[in-house]
Amino acid sequence: MKDIMGMMKQAKAMQEKMQGLQAEIAETTASGQAGGGVVSVTLKGTGELVAVELDPSLLKADEKDILEDLLVAAHADAKRKLDAVIQDKTQALTAGLPLPPGMKLPF
């Protein structure tokens, strides 16, 4: 019975740590760039796009397709960086836990 109580306490502590991690991740931001920095976007940990910066040289009617492609590329860059930060934070929290290989947290 003591083992079950100990496991319940550990589960509760882990749940509280995960809630803290989720709050921390939600406030984390990552920026991505494309075109050598002429397009920059910033994402929050929730995936929300919070900022877009464009070099004025891109604001030409005949370069609309280029601008669209650069926005997509900058978003993908920011998403990769954000995923890496989230993975690092999650690994730090779950260090020492016997999780199956490839299991990703938070779910």
Side-chain angles (χ1 to χ4, degrees):
M1 189 63 138
K2 289 182 182 181
D3 288 343
I4 292 175
M5 293 304 289
M7 286 175 38
M8 295 297 287
K9 286 181 183 180
Q10 287 179 337
K12 176 81 171 155
M14 182 63 171
Q15 182 181 23
E16 289 171 0
K17 287 181 183 180
M18 284 300 293
Q19 288 173 344
L21 175 63
Q22 288 173 336
E24 185 179 341
I25 287 172
E27 293 304 314
T28 299
T29 61
S31 294
Q33 296 183 350
V38 295
V39 173
S40 177
V41 300
T42 302
L43 299 177
K44 286 182 79 171
T46 58
E48 177 186 358
L49 179 66
V50 293
V52 174
E53 295 179 34
L54 306 173
D55 187 284
S57 67
L58 291 172
L59 304 177
K60 298 176 185 171
D62 60 335
E63 295 184 1
K64 178 182 175 286
D65 293 340
I66 294 170
L67 179 57
E68 291 169 345
D69 291 343
L70 290 172
L71 282 167
V72 170
H75 183 275
D77 184 42
K79 181 72 171 128
R80 276 191 301 274
K81 290 176 181 177
L82 184 61
D83 288 345
V85 169
I86 290 170
Q87 183 177 358
D88 288 345
K89 289 179 182 284
T90 303
Q91 284 178 346
L93 175 72
T94 59
L97 291 178
L99 297 175
M103 183 174 181
K104 292 184 179 184
L105 295 174
F107 302 104

